[in-house]
């Protein structure tokens, strides 16, 4: 632990011992070590054995490193056995990302070999894989040598989907020249403060003096999808303190940063909106159909944001709203509106398949839909489903995993109809 962090921990957790001298702590250490030696433990056991307290004493003896390590290995092996039993007897989906070699920035298809060896060793049939979600990289979706093409050789009926969250992340990375430069300067400023222990300590002290809500900046990490939004939000919250800090340490960057206040405020707001949408797409209860609603509503919200910006109605942009009216120029608003226009256009192209995905009403809520809304060949099973009291209770409790497992096995015709919709989506 760094001395500064250790001192901070001591002051927070043990303020009553702040005035003690070093001899006090040395005595405590000796006392603790003498109390916990192995010979003393056995003396306690022998002295209290007649009183029936052996179990109590033995339970207080610390375990060795080897014992703890063995227990961890045993628990890990047990979990692996349980997982393999589940995979051998149930259908499941895969979520995969490509592997990249840092040297020369090359990517290699490693995971198919790993998965194939693991499936063969654990006797897991490839036919149990019903869907595969990838990041859309060439190593994943290549027609001849990609992971998907090799997977379809052993599991021809597998459904393949380009991760919806990853698509939005790729779209959000695009910025026009001015905003990209502003974001780059923000990252440069953070890298001048956060990674350097001395600057970090001085900056935290200045935050305390200014009574700021936060005392640390957040590093930007490209591989973390929420990184830009969280980083910019914290940066703008501490903007005045950052300017004050740089005014002493780096005057040139300080002058440049002052001119970017509007851009930082806008970027903080727009990436905050993108983060909110990304979080809505995560979780165990998100289906492809819910994802469509979330994405399409976000595109329509972007149109609303743009129209409001043009009229200087900043309700959806709290950081921009804090600025004085004379600080926000028409040229700034024009730049932000054009960026939102580009964002909308970039989202429409990768999400074209979601636009074209047709979702029958009975799939969203089969218990409120009319029997006439399904085709003749499905009506018999649809009536059975609507009168399945147990399935209705599970659905109303939002336990969708249990509901769809029950649904898939008891109503195969309805399930086939849903699969046809998803197949059309994945093939597009």
């Amino acid at each position: 632990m760094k001395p500064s962090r250790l001192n901070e921990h001591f002051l927070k957790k043990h303020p009553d011992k702040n005035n003690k001298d070093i001899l006090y702590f040395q005595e405590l250490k000796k006392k603790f070590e003498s109390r916990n030696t192995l010979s003393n433990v056995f003396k306690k056991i022998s002295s209290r054995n007649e009183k029936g307290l052996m179990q109590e004493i033995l339970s207080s003896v610390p375990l060795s490193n080897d014992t703890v390590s063995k227990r961890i290995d045993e628990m890990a092996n047990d979990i692996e056995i349980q997982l393999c039993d589940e995979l051998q007897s149930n259908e499941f989906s895969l979520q995969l990302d490509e592997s990249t070699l840092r040297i020369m920035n090359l990517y290699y298809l490693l995971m198919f070999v790993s998965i194939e060896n693991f499936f063969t060793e654990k006797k897991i049939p490839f036919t149990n894989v019903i869907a595969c979600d990838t990041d859309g990289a060439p190593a994943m979706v290549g027609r001849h040598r990609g992971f998907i093409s090799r997977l379809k050789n052993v599991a021809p009926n597998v459904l393949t989907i380009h991760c919806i969250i990853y698509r939005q992340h790729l779209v959000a990375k695009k910025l026009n020249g001015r905003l990209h430069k502003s974001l780059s300067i923000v990252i440069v400023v953070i890298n001048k403060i956060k990674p350097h222990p001395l600057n970090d300590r001085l900056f935290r002290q200045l935050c305390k003096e200014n009574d700021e809500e936060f005392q640390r900046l957040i590093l930007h990490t490209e591989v973390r999808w929420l990184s830009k939004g969280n980083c910019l939000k914290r940066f703008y919250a501490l903007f005045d303190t950052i300017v004050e800090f740089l005014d002493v340490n780096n005057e040139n960057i300080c002058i440049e940063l002052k001119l970017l206040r509007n851009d930082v405020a806008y970027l903080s707001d727009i990436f905050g909106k993108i983060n909110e949408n990304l979080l809505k797409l995560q979780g165990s209860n998100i289906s492809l159909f819910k994802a469509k609603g979330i994405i399409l509503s976000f595109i329509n919200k972007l149109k609303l944001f743009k129209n409001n910006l043009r009229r200087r109605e900043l309700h959806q942009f709290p950081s921009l709203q804090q600025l004085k009216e004379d600080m926000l120029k028409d040229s700034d608003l024009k730049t932000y509106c054009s960026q939102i226009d580009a964002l909308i256009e970039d989202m429409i192209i990768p999400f074209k398949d979601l636009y074209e995905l047709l979702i029958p009403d009975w799939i969203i809520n089969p218990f409120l839909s009319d029997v006439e809304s399904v085709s003749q060949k499905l009506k018999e099973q649809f009536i059975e489903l609507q009168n399945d009291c147990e399935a209705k209770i599970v659905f109303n409790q939002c336990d969708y995993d249990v509901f769809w497992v029950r649904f898939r096995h008891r109503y195969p015709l309805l399930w086939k109809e849903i699969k046809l919709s998803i197949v059309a989506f994945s093939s597009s």
Side-chain angles (χ1 to χ4, degrees), residues 182-206:
S182 300
L183 178 60
S184 299
I185 292 173
V186 168
I187 294 172
V188 167
V189 171
I190 293 173
N191 289 338
K192 284 185 176 297
I193 299 175
K194 178 66 177 174
H196 302 282
L198 176 59
N199 287 343
D200 189 37
R201 289 198 298 272
L202 293 174
F203 181 74
R204 277 190 285 133
Q205 184 62 37
L206 184 60

Side-chain angles (χ1 to χ4, degrees), residues 76-89:
N77 291 333
D78 182 63
I79 292 172
E80 183 180 357
I81 292 171
Q82 293 182 48
L83 175 63
C84 291
D85 289 342
E86 290 287 331
L87 298 180
Q88 289 168 2
S89 55

Side-chain angles (χ1 to χ4, degrees), residues 312 314 320-330:
R312 286 184 173 266
L314 307 176
L320 283 177
Q321 199 170 25
Q322 293 175 6
L323 299 173
K324 296 179 181 179
E325 189 171 350
D326 59 341
M327 292 178 61
L328 197 58
K329 302 176 182 178
D330 291 339

Side-chain angles (χ1 to χ4, degrees), residues 258-389:
K258 288 179 181 178
L259 301 175
L260 302 178
R261 179 186 286 269
N262 295 359
D263 289 358
V264 176
Y266 167 74
L267 289 171
S268 172
D269 288 334
I270 196 65
F271 276 104
K273 299 293 184 185
I274 292 171
N275 279 8
E276 289 177 12
N277 204 59
L278 286 171
L279 290 172
K280 289 179 182 178
L281 290 169
Q282 300 179 32
S284 58
N285 291 330
I286 294 296
S287 65
L288 190 60
F289 308 124
K290 284 186 178 180
K292 173 180 178 176
I294 293 170
I295 290 295
L296 298 189
S297 66
F298 183 65
I299 293 174
N300 290 323
K301 285 179 182 178
L302 288 174
K303 297 175 182 177
L304 173 66
F305 299 159
K306 183 190 71 173
N307 293 334
N308 287 346
L309 271 178
R310 284 176 175 172
R311 295 193 294 265
R312 286 184 173 266
E313 295 178 2
L314 307 176
H315 310 294
Q316 290 87 16
F317 297 87
S319 299
L320 283 177
Q321 199 170 25
Q322 293 175 6
L323 299 173
K324 296 179 181 179
E325 189 171 350
D326 59 341
M327 292 178 61
L328 197 58
K329 302 176 182 178
D330 291 339
S331 58
D332 294 333
L333 295 176
K334 186 176 179 180
T335 299
Y336 306 152
C337 288
S338 64
Q339 195 272 332
I340 293 178
D341 271 332
L343 186 59
I344 293 171
E345 185 178 347
D346 287 340
M347 287 196 70
I348 289 175
I349 296 172
F351 292 109
K352 181 182 177 182
D353 49 3
L354 277 180
Y355 269 103
E356 299 174 352
L357 176 62
L358 299 176
I359 306 175
D361 293 339
W362 66 266
I363 294 180
I364 305 301
N365 193 331
F367 301 102
L368 296 179
S369 301
D370 188 6
V371 178
E372 299 302 324
S373 62
V374 301
S375 61
Q376 289 294 334
K377 65 178 181 179
L378 302 178
K379 284 184 178 179
E380 184 177 351
Q381 281 198 1
F382 191 69
I383 292 172
E384 291 180 17
L385 173 62
Q386 287 192 320
N387 292 278
D388 189 337
C389 296

